[in-house]
Amino acid sequence: MSDREAVAHLLRRATFGPTADEVDAAERAGPAATLDNLLTPTRADRGAAATPPPALAPDPYAQLTKDSTREQRQQANAERRKQLQQVTGWWLDRMVAAEDGLTEKLLFFWHGHWATSAQKVKSARVMQGQLDTLRRHARGPLAPLVAAMVRDPALIIWLDGQKNTRKAPNENLARELMELFTLGIGAYSEADVKAGARALTGWVVDRRTGVAHFEAKRHDPGEKTILGQSGRFDAEAYAGLLAAQPAAATFVAGRLWFRYAGTDVPAPAGLSGADTVATLRAIFSAPAFAQTRGTLVKQPVEWLVGALRQLGIRPSALPEQQHKQLLAGLNALDQVPLRPPSVGGWPAGAAWLTTSSLQARLRTAGTLAAAVNPAVLARLTAAPTAGRPDALARLLVVDGWSARTRAALTPLAGEPRKLLAAGLVSPEYTVS
């Protein structure tokens, strides 16, 4: 693998999708320096700073009373949906604008890992708060992240933590905390779930303010035995116990490998998820990582954001109709930020390659080709007609076209926007 191919592979996986200029710069720097720059950025993220989160009005439901009419409740629901669309659109725009692409993609990884859906949480302010928590802890050690998440309002609502009391423990949060977020199946017992639920009692969410707080009268202060250790565990102590388990470091590392490298090549032995940046360095430096090139199907969000970046399109700058078409495209592709389908997160691999998803990609690719930045389109049209498939490969950071794909692209070389759309749905672009 050449240095250019190596840095392109790294950037495709570590970020949402590099531009040709970013690959040029990475090739000049070399693979080792490129990895260092990704993991330890040395300058402020100007793109993110220019894309501040929306200033949300108070939750519309906070204004309702027991005497509110049906129409007032319907209006509050409509306003809630509008606020959620606002946050979703903002995050999509930030994914495109951010210069620190590794952190932005890592945030999306954690969002899928601690899968929490606005379908049930409903409050944009609470969902945005969870994103803030995940962003704050995304790059660091596992223990502070777990401690923050057991007290996260969105997760508490999503997994019925507010129903968990000393008199009637609810096991949902404790079970998923161990099964899906920290330890994995087989690393705990049913008794551990029951005791964990008792440890988590007392944390509730004020739905008017969206803030989680501790109510001592709802908490079970008694002694509990969890994973072979006994004590008067509360939520913080329970989180610390989970994060300290060797199984947690192994499980989280496996999830990171799964999302960043796939399943075709086994993860390196001894990979640990105790510290996220250290884990990513180990993943991206592993000889096995190079062997995963061309094996990982892009998630729809990854596909769309990469295309937006490479085509020079800012979602927020689009006309309203085109902006709606992009979000409709993600909806048709079954991956809308803030709306994972279940607590298990989104699927992977061939699950994204269905007949309906191909049709949705085709429609969305047409929208993208119509909205391409004129300067980017000029780069493509500056090439001789016969050379445009190769110019397109460079633009979309594709290492090369198969004979079959080239045969499909060549007749479109005289119609640049159609050529763009075809490249975006090609196997070489859909799989990284």
Side-chain angles (χ1 to χ4, degrees):
M1 190 188 303
S2 69
D3 275 3
R4 186 173 185 85
E5 289 171 333
V7 296
H9 174 51
L10 172 61
L11 292 173
R12 280 191 296 259
R13 295 293 181 80
T15 73
F16 277 114
T19 65
D21 289 345
E22 287 168 344
V23 177
D24 289 344
E27 184 181 17
R28 291 191 295 270
T34 298
L35 180 57
D36 287 342
N37 292 336
L38 285 169
L39 296 174
T40 54
T42 56
R43 66 181 188 183
D45 190 330
R46 295 168 299 181
T51 316
L56 298 171
D59 188 329
Y61 254 69
Q63 316 303 318
L64 299 179
T65 69
K66 62 179 179 161
D67 298 320
S68 296
T69 65
R70 179 183 177 185
E71 288 73 19
Q72 287 172 325
R73 295 182 185 279
Q74 289 175 336
Q75 179 59 39
N77 273 327
E79 184 59 32
R80 272 186 156 184
R81 289 192 294 271
K82 183 178 178 181
Q83 288 188 0
L84 284 166
Q85 290 170 355
Q86 191 178 1
V87 174
T88 302
W90 158 74
W91 192 17
L92 186 66
D93 205 50
R94 177 164 171 147
M95 290 176 189
V96 175
E99 296 175 346
D100 180 4
L102 182 137
T103 295
E104 213 59 42
K105 189 170 182 180
L106 183 59
L107 175 61
F108 191 68
F109 162 78
W110 285 124
H111 172 49
H113 181 81
W114 297 89
T116 305
S117 176
Q119 290 283 87
K120 181 174 180 179
V121 177
K122 299 187 183 301
S123 167
R125 185 182 293 273
V126 171
M127 291 300 298
Q128 186 174 324
Q130 186 181 83
L131 292 181
D132 292 342
T133 297
L134 290 172
R135 189 183 295 280
R136 193 162 54 249
H137 296 286
R139 286 173 157 266
L142 181 61
L145 172 61
V146 178
M149 290 305 289
V150 298
R151 293 171 294 193
D152 175 71
L155 194 69
I156 290 172
I157 295 168
W158 174 234
L159 292 174
D160 302 317
Q162 75 276 19
K163 299 178 182 178
N164 186 17
T165 69
R166 61 190 298 177
K167 293 182 179 179
N170 184 294
E171 298 172 6
N172 283 2
L173 180 52
R175 183 178 303 282
E176 307 304 359
L177 188 60
M178 290 192 278
E179 179 178 327
L180 295 176
F181 305 151
T182 59
L183 304 180
I185 296 173
Y188 60 92
S189 69
E190 283 299 307
D192 293 325
V193 173
K194 295 181 183 300
R198 292 173 56 211
L200 294 173
T201 53
W203 282 94
V204 296
V205 178
D206 184 333
R207 295 305 297 261
R208 293 178 65 85
T209 63
V211 175
H213 62 277
F214 182 73
E215 290 187 0
K217 66 182 180 181
R218 296 167 63 99
H219 177 62
D220 182 342
E223 184 166 290
K224 308 155 188 86
T225 299
I226 307 174
L227 300 170
Q229 297 192 36
S230 298
R232 296 183 181 277
F233 289 102
D234 58 11
E236 185 173 2
Y238 177 39
L241 175 64
L242 293 178
Q245 298 297 305
T250 301
F251 177 74
V252 171
R255 298 304 297 173
L256 284 162
W257 179 266
F258 174 73
R259 286 298 181 186
Y260 283 90
T263 59
D264 285 24
V265 178
L271 190 64
S272 169
D275 181 89
T276 303
V277 166
T279 307
L280 291 177
R281 181 176 290 279
I283 288 173
F284 297 141
S285 301
F289 177 70
Q291 300 169 22
T292 70
R293 186 166 64 119
T295 64
L296 195 61
V297 178
K298 293 178 182 177
Q299 299 180 75
V301 166
E302 182 183 9
W303 174 82
L304 177 62
V305 174
L308 288 164
R309 299 190 78 250
Q310 290 156 354
L311 300 189
I313 302 168
R314 281 292 296 271
S316 59
L318 290 174
E320 183 179 358
Q321 185 59 31
Q322 284 185 321
H323 192 270
K324 286 182 177 179
Q325 287 172 344
L326 289 184
L327 293 178
L330 283 180
N331 189 54
L333 288 166
D334 292 327
Q335 191 175 49
V336 178
L338 307 185
R339 294 180 182 272
S342 72
V343 71
W346 283 287
W352 297 121
L353 302 178
T354 63
T355 302
S356 63
S357 72
L358 175 58
Q359 295 301 314
R361 282 180 200 272
L362 284 167
R363 290 192 300 271
T364 307
T367 300
L368 292 166
V372 60
N373 187 301
V376 174
L377 186 64
R379 289 190 180 189
L380 187 59
T381 56
T385 303
R388 285 178 184 170
D390 291 324
L392 179 65
R394 176 181 173 79
L395 179 67
L396 299 182
V397 191
V398 170
D399 293 334
W401 305 118
S402 68
R404 183 176 181 178
T405 300
R406 184 176 291 276
L409 295 176
T410 298
L412 302 174
E415 301 178 86
R417 293 181 193 273
K418 288 185 178 180
L419 180 66
L420 269 176
L424 291 172
V425 298
S426 67
E428 290 83 359
Y429 192 75
T430 304
V431 177
S432 72

